[in-house]
Amino acid sequence: MRAVFITGTGTDIGKTFLTTALIRYLRSEGTTVRAIKPVVTGFDVKSWQDSDPAALLAALEAPVSLQEIDGISPWRFMAPLSPDIAARQEGRTIAFAHVVEFCRKALSAKPDVVLIEGIGGIMVPLDEHRTVLDLMSVLRLPLVLVAGSYVGTLSHTLTSLEVLARRNLDVAGVVVSESPTSAASLDETVATLQRFADVIEVIGLPRLGPDVLDHPALGRIAALI
């Protein structure tokens, strides 16, 4: 069984885009895949069909229903804020130990590949004291760090890599997910990050929609797992 934690330098940069693309690619190769996204904010029950968990279920070709979403994303909150604040607004809390237990249970199912998608960036708070970084530090899985190609991503990505290195976390690779309408070139962003990332592979992934499955970058990313 192979497993990877898909994290990011921030929010809305392409973690779910990459995760769903990987699910479809791996399944097309005959690989069994389990995917979870334990914590979700900005989840509107009136339009749950457009949510990230629904996208994961569709990629898995599983029934897309609220019951199925509960199985892959148990901690869901309405406000599009950090999990700790979104939970507080609903009078709820996130039990960190329960999130860890949920992830470990997914890993124990032993499909060929388990993909765990994080929320926001690496330092987004989950509760009063712990962040996504703490969750990754407990699970000790290889990481795929997703970055954008927007102006400013160089500093954000290199800072994230520095923090992950200080926690002795294994970064399997960096995926630069193309940011729409960015003034920065995807190829130049990848080349610059690669110069600073040393032995960590940096791969650019264009926003091609369904056609991304045929892009050679996706195969290179799948090989990181």
Side-chain angles (χ1 to χ4, degrees), residues 152-163:
T153 195
L154 300 178
S155 179
H156 296 163
T157 306
L158 296 176
T159 300
S160 295
L161 288 175
E162 178 71 18
V163 171

Side-chain angles (χ1 to χ4, degrees), residues 19-20 23-29 31 33-35 53-65 68 72 213:
T19 305
T20 55
I23 291 169
R24 290 189 169 96
Y25 180 88
L26 291 167
R27 294 185 75 249
S28 73
E29 297 286 305
T31 302
V33 182
R34 170 91 163 117
L56 296 182
L57 289 172
L60 290 165
E61 295 187 4
V64 181
S65 66
E68 291 291 330
I72 66 170
L213 295 179

Side-chain angles (χ1 to χ4, degrees), residues 112-129:
D112 294 332
V113 172
V114 177
L115 304 177
I116 301 178
E117 183 185 338
I119 182 169
I122 65 170
M123 292 291 287
V124 165
L126 295 174
D127 61 18
E128 294 293 326
H129 305 288

